[in-house]
Amino acid sequence: NLDEQKIVGPIPEQLSTFSQLDTLILSRNQFTGPIPASLAKLTKLKTLSVASNFLTGTIPSELKDLKSLRSFRFDDNPALEGPFPTGFTATLASCNGTTTDVCLGPSHSGVSCSLAACPSECGILSAAFPAVTVKADCCNNMPGITCDTSGSITAINLSNNKQIKGDFPVDLFKLKSLKSLQLDNNALTGTIPAELGTALPLLTSVSLEGNALIGRIPDTLAKLDTLKFARNAGLGGPLLSLKAGTTCTGLGTAMCLPAGRTGPACGITKKCKDCDVLAGAFPTVFSGYESDCCTNRDVYRFAKCDDDDFVTQVLLEKQGLTGSLPDVRALSKLSKLELRFNKYTGIIPEYLGNMQTLRWVDLSDNQLSGPVPAFFGNIKLLERLYLNDNLLQGTIPSSIGDLQKLEAFAFNNNYQLYNPLPESFKDKSIFFCTGAFTAVCYPEHFPPLCQVPRCKCATRLDAAGQ
């Protein structure tokens, strides 16, 4: 029973090796990712609860083979989706899946888990475009909609419709058979979600010309055969690499060609400069300032540049920035990256370890998860590293203790960090170091360090009790 233990990260696959387990309660934590299908190996399991987490994906059909299962709770995981597997036996007396996007398919039999029937594909289309009249039989009676013989939507062409406006319609990600999406000359705004390239496995063609989109084209769209995004003036930053033969258009955008990219140029000829990179990485702040981010009075306080207009500092505290940490590796002279007090999620990207000019990295007070990366030890000039007040987990890498110039290191208020500080910290002279409110400690042969307690035992348990 690990209810409400502030555990972060994926559900460990190793749980499937506990062959005698009959009760597994993982509710009210911060688990992410899918429910492991390997839990079906726990043949004696009677109670399973993964409620109130941040799980994604579908309910594994393998779980229906748990013939001893009597209680199954997966409610309050808003990103769980798809049809509930059919075939759970009537012995499953208690089941709750409310506050999820899991639903009952048309051929469902067995327990219902308080779930509603799955909407039809035409119903999903209606939810995606609420201002558009979508007929119940959209496959046969709606121009621009193509379906296969099973009634699954495979192609959407809803161009030239100014009622389609606002943020990109993420409900479309439920149309798993979609191959082609054409939404030209509408009034879409905001950024293109990276999930467009990951949530639709059959998608090969996307056309979004003539809208009001901003930001970068996500790298997840590199697999497409057709990618058209011309006449979106707010799209900027480096153009992603594309596979040879991709049909693409990009005229009328502020995008540029970075050094080393491959594939067709989509009609873009402008070579990237640092302000272009900022506009693509942080469009809500820098879009429209591709030529003068270093000097324009509206944004110069957010970016400091040298005399040659290379960006040396990015200062974006409390800007309400969301999503994954953006790619700024093209900023070849960046020395300070300050993104504290935003709402970034996901892991810390590996490219940061290759940015050898960095001296100051502040990612504090976000919602970043995953381990503290060992690659920070590759940044030999790094003087200050602030990772406090996130959702990081695991241990402190010894490579950070090997940094000769490190003056400040904050990792406090990451409740799932644990284990003794590595030996590389023993004789470390750090002007400022704090790890309060973690499960990290300093070994008995260390002097007091980093505002953590002295270790009381040789080893510590990890988040799964190992």
Side-chain angles (χ1 to χ4, degrees):
N1 185 344
L2 294 174
D3 177 62
E4 203 171 6
Q5 295 300 306
K6 299 180 180 178
I7 304 174
V8 177
I11 296 176
E13 292 278 354
Q14 295 90 331
L15 289 173
S16 64
T17 63
F18 299 165
S19 58
Q20 301 302 307
L21 201 65
D22 64 20
T23 300
L24 178 58
I25 299 176
L26 305 175
S27 51
R28 295 191 292 180
N29 286 290
Q30 298 174 38
F31 284 113
T32 55
I35 299 173
S38 60
L39 295 182
K41 297 178 182 179
L42 301 174
T43 56
K44 297 185 179 181
L45 200 62
K46 297 179 180 178
T47 299
L48 173 61
S49 177
V50 293
S52 301
N53 282 287
F54 301 95
L55 298 171
T56 57
T58 61
I59 305 297
S61 60
E62 292 85 350
L63 296 184
K64 69 179 185 298
D65 296 327
L66 293 172
K67 303 304 181 184
S68 298
L69 195 63
R70 299 292 182 269
S71 176
F72 181 25
R73 288 193 57 181
F74 54 93
D75 50 297
D76 195 20
N77 282 280
L80 281 178
E81 60 182 0
F84 185 70
T86 191
F88 277 87
T89 64
T91 57
L92 185 58
S94 175
C95 184
N96 188 352
T98 56
T99 322
T100 68
D101 272 341
V102 181
C103 54
L104 302 179
S107 60
H108 181 80
S109 62
V111 294
S112 66
C113 302
S114 302
L115 299 172
C118 293
S120 67
E121 298 246 322
C122 294
I124 294 172
L125 189 67
S126 179
F129 303 109
V132 177
T133 300
V134 177
K135 297 182 179 181
D137 186 15
C138 66
C139 291
N140 297 313
N141 295 299
M142 188 171 179
I145 305 302
T146 303
C147 303
D148 61 19
T149 55
S150 69
S152 296
I153 296 176
T154 59
I156 296 173
N157 183 350
L158 294 178
S159 300
N160 303 301
N161 190 334
K162 296 303 181 183
Q163 291 178 310
I164 298 177
K165 58 187 177 180
D167 291 341
F168 191 92
V170 295
D171 281 304
L172 292 178
F173 300 158
K174 300 175 184 178
L175 301 175
K176 300 302 182 183
S177 297
L178 191 65
K179 299 177 182 179
S180 176
L181 176 64
Q182 188 169 344
L183 298 174
D184 298 331
N185 303 317
N186 293 311
L188 294 174
T189 58
T191 58
I192 301 173
E195 292 81 2
L196 180 59
T198 59
L200 300 172
L202 303 181
L203 191 67
T204 60
S205 177
V206 171
S207 186
L208 301 170
E209 294 184 326
N211 284 280
L213 298 165
I214 64 173
R216 289 187 62 174
I217 303 292
D219 290 341
T220 54
L221 301 185
K223 66 177 184 178
L224 297 178
D225 297 327
T226 299
L227 177 59
K228 298 182 179 181
F229 52 90
R231 293 178 286 110
N232 283 275
L235 287 178
L239 178 64
L240 71 165
S241 291
L242 297 169
K243 62 183 183 181
T246 300
T247 300
C248 65
T249 59
L251 292 175
T253 70
M255 300 198 72
C256 58
L257 300 176
R261 77 166 296 277
T262 57
C266 310
I268 296 168
T269 58
K270 177 185 175 183
K271 302 298 183 181
C272 288
K273 295 184 178 180
D274 279 10
C275 288
D276 296 304
V277 176
L278 289 184
F282 310 102
T284 57
V285 179
F286 293 106
S287 183
Y289 300 98
E290 289 84 354
S291 62
D292 61 350
C293 70
C294 296
T295 57
N296 192 290
R297 63 181 299 173
D298 292 333
V299 295
Y300 76 89
R301 67 187 183 277
F302 300 127
K304 305 300 181 185
C305 307
D306 64 13
D307 292 339
D308 297 316
D309 287 342
F310 285 99
V311 173
T312 59
Q313 297 184 29
V314 174
L315 310 170
L316 292 173
E317 176 184 357
K318 295 182 180 178
Q319 293 302 306
L321 303 173
T322 61
S324 302
L325 287 172
D327 192 340
V328 295
R329 75 184 80 187
L331 301 177
S332 60
K333 295 188 178 181
L334 188 67
S335 63
K336 183 174 183 178
L337 179 62
E338 184 176 277
L339 301 174
R340 62 178 179 169
F341 288 104
N342 285 292
K343 299 178 182 179
Y344 282 120
T345 57
I347 63 173
I348 299 173
E350 189 172 353
Y351 75 79
L352 284 176
N354 296 320
M355 298 187 69
Q356 295 300 312
T357 57
L358 283 172
R359 296 176 179 270
W360 186 314
V361 175
D362 190 344
L363 305 177
S364 61
D365 291 276
N366 282 281
Q367 300 168 32
L368 300 171
S369 57
V372 176
F375 58 65
F376 279 123
N378 299 333
I379 310 174
K380 302 306 180 184
L381 298 179
L382 194 61
E383 299 172 358
R384 293 176 177 267
L385 178 59
Y386 300 98
L387 304 175
N388 51 285
D389 295 275
N390 279 289
L391 304 173
L392 301 172
Q393 62 184 118
T395 61
I396 302 299
S398 61
S399 59
I400 293 179
D402 291 329
L403 289 169
Q404 297 301 309
K405 294 182 178 294
L406 192 65
E407 299 174 354
F409 179 37
F411 55 94
N412 52 294
N413 294 310
N414 285 281
Y415 301 110
Q416 291 303 310
L417 290 177
Y418 57 90
N419 265 13
L421 285 167
E423 196 68 23
S424 58
F425 279 80
K426 179 181 177 183
D427 299 316
K428 193 73 177 172
S429 177
I430 303 179
F431 174 73
F432 175 78
C433 184
T434 177
F437 299 103
T438 68
V440 177
C441 57
Y442 68 88
E444 292 184 356
H445 61 289
F446 275 33
L449 189 63
C450 297
Q451 300 178 6
V452 298
R454 177 179 166 185
C455 299
K456 296 182 179 179
C457 53
T459 60
R460 297 182 69 85
L461 297 177
D462 65 16
Q466 297 295 311

